[in-house]
Amino acid sequence: MDLRRRPDRSLSVIAGLDAQVVVLQEADKRLPPRPAALPHEMIEDDGWTILPFGQPGGSIGWHGNAMLVRPGVKLRKTAHIELPGLEPRGAIRAELDTSIGPLRVVGAHLGLIRRYRLMQISAIIRHLRDLPDMPTVLAGDFNEWGSVRPLDTVAHGLRFIPTAPSFPAPRPVAALDRFALSDHLQAVRTKAHRGQPARIASDHLPIWADIAMA
């Protein structure tokens, strides 16, 4: 928010979440070869493993979506999910072994037009239906300014949990960033991370959730 790109500052905010799994949006620059906004070596020096969604040219994600995990979280497999819409959009999927058991995490950054957001959620749900049953978290920037109810109507098998407003970071009024959980899971706590430098490191505050088996 101060017009300075400071990867070290962004990583300090991420570290402050004390998370085991982190889902990022806009983690790469927009234009090919889409180099990472957060350099690989800085991420790894902070003790994170970058899950392999990136493309040649230095990116760490796919359509800007990336995922980081702490030691102790083991990767089973990853996949890309193509999403429909006027803008280029995609989602990422990782199947993990975590301290609470097997966990599937999907990261997404949905479109600006509600019609396409609904189509994109539907595409993710169709993708998940073809997979073996597993506790699942869908996380990301859903770009939904109003009630989350329209997204809930198409997110069959997942339910969106209440989250605090996260945008714009200096004075958040919209809960654009959210989690949706399968019935295997419950959110013990969820909150927006408001401490400095989160209010200036990005235009969105990060949100976090403590997840447990239901």
Side-chain angles (χ1 to χ4, degrees):
M1 297 302 292
D2 59 359
L3 304 182
R4 301 170 68 198
R5 188 174 73 85
R6 290 271 308 277
D8 60 322
R9 185 169 60 186
S10 297
L11 284 165
S12 74
V13 174
I14 293 170
L17 301 174
D18 196 27
Q20 296 298 302
V21 180
V22 173
V23 177
L24 303 173
Q25 295 80 48
E26 297 185 1
D28 297 326
K29 297 181 182 179
R30 287 191 176 273
L31 298 177
R34 296 185 174 88
L38 298 177
H40 287 70
E41 62 276 9
M42 292 182 67
I43 297 171
E44 291 167 350
D45 286 348
D46 270 17
W48 295 100
T49 297
I50 305 166
L51 297 192
F53 295 108
Q55 303 167 79
S59 77
I60 62 170
W62 193 63
H63 287 286
N65 299 291
M67 203 175 301
L68 314 178
V69 298
R70 284 297 194 195
V73 176
K74 304 300 183 185
L75 176 63
R76 294 187 179 188
K77 62 175 65 175
T78 63
H80 296 162
I81 306 173
E82 296 279 357
L83 298 182
L86 289 176
E87 316 159 74
R89 297 281 176 174
I92 56 175
R93 186 193 97 222
E95 294 177 5
L96 308 168
D97 287 317
T98 74
S99 60
I100 64 169
L103 189 67
R104 178 179 291 130
V105 180
V106 178
H109 188 179
L110 301 190
L112 300 176
I113 300 171
R114 175 173 285 176
R115 174 190 173 195
Y116 293 111
R117 290 197 292 273
L118 298 178
M119 292 169 60
Q120 289 158 4
I121 290 285
S122 295
I124 292 170
I125 296 302
R126 288 195 301 271
H127 175 88
L128 294 176
R129 282 177 181 159
D130 292 335
L131 302 174
D133 190 44
M134 182 181 285
T136 298
V137 177
L138 171 60
D141 177 358
F142 293 90
N143 268 319
E144 187 64 51
W145 283 78
S147 168
V148 77
R149 189 172 299 169
L151 300 184
D152 256 328
T153 61
V154 295
H156 304 297
L158 300 176
R159 67 191 186 285
F160 282 89
I161 63 174
T163 52
S166 57
F167 182 85
R171 187 172 293 179
V173 296
L176 302 188
D177 305 284
R178 294 181 178 271
F179 298 100
L181 309 179
S182 66
D183 288 340
H184 313 78
L185 300 170
Q186 61 180 337
V188 178
R189 289 190 305 160
T190 180
K191 197 172 182 180
H193 182 64
R194 297 174 178 269
Q196 290 289 21
R199 291 180 180 272
I200 56 172
S202 171
D203 58 340
H204 290 241
L205 292 176
I207 62 167
W208 55 264
D210 284 338
I211 302 297
M213 290 297 170

